[in-house]
Amino acid sequence: MDKSQGADDDMVTGVKPLCAPVTAVLNSGRLEADYKANAQEVFTKTGDQTTVAQDVSGYPRAQAEKAMAGLRAAVEQCGTFTGKQGGKKATVTVKKTAEQPKYGDESLRYTVKIVQGDMQMDFDMGTIRSHGAITTVLNNYSDRGDRGLGAFTKALSKAGEKLAAAAAKTA
């Protein structure tokens, strides 16, 4: 979520360091704030609140590898954890999906659920690294309309192909 869109109240903060990569990618779309290049795009389905968003960031390769290792550890070890959202307690549940397609040098597909009071937000997520480039595709779906899982899966596959092709042109 881009802070310029007034999403500060949606940011999840105050989580233990191990789980911070999950909230970093939720809050900003990227794993590290110290990126060399960045682009974001959000696609919204008319008629409901379903969105597919993509963030692409460039880092030195060692930094990208470390960031992906941190995200993988968070997804595999955090399960359910708490933080603050809009000043109130939020419970975050992260789970690696059964289907783990291989994209780029490494990839990770997972789901995230945030519950804060009587509000729940659900996300399908996929993060891919090729060389020093990392892309995350996020599917934010509402309880109205369909989940859009097919569109998310296609978007993640296409993002992986394009990232690998672009990264292959770098050192």
Side-chain angles (χ1 to χ4, degrees):
M1 288 181 265
D2 185 347
K3 286 184 182 180
S4 67
Q5 296 174 354
D8 284 338
D9 286 343
D10 292 333
M11 299 273 192
V12 178
T13 60
V15 303
K16 58 186 174 181
L18 174 66
C19 304
V22 172
T23 57
V25 79
L26 278 170
N27 291 340
S28 68
R30 53 198 157 273
L31 292 173
E32 298 272 332
D34 185 23
Y35 52 85
K36 302 300 177 196
N38 178 257
Q40 292 182 325
E41 190 66 44
V42 177
F43 306 93
T44 304
K45 181 179 176 186
T46 305
D48 63 28
Q49 296 172 335
T50 302
T51 60
V52 173
Q54 182 181 7
D55 181 277
V56 181
S57 300
Y59 307 91
R61 189 181 303 207
Q63 182 182 358
E65 290 171 351
K66 184 178 177 185
M68 279 298 290
L71 177 63
R72 186 171 303 284
V75 170
E76 292 174 353
Q77 298 174 36
C78 284
T80 299
F81 58 96
T82 59
K84 295 279 187 187
Q85 186 180 41
K88 298 177 183 166
K89 180 182 173 186
T91 302
V92 180
T93 302
V94 61
K95 184 178 178 185
K96 188 175 175 180
T97 62
E99 183 182 337
Q100 287 294 312
K102 177 79 171 113
Y103 303 114
D105 294 327
E106 58 181 318
S107 56
L108 182 62
R109 188 165 168 174
Y110 49 106
T111 60
V112 178
K113 174 174 71 174
I114 302 172
V115 177
Q116 190 255 331
D118 61 354
M119 180 180 71
Q120 177 175 316
M121 294 181 288
D122 297 285
F123 305 92
D124 296 307
M125 301 186 73
T127 302
I128 303 165
R129 182 190 65 80
S130 286
H131 299 269
I134 296 177
T135 188
T136 294
V137 178
L138 174 147
N139 179 30
N140 180 15
Y141 54 94
S142 66
D143 54 2
R144 297 177 284 146
D146 80 59
R147 182 173 176 177
L149 194 54
F152 168 75
T153 301
K154 286 171 79 173
L156 185 61
S157 175
K158 193 61 138 174
E161 290 171 16
K162 288 186 173 196
L163 187 71
K169 297 175 186 176
T170 65

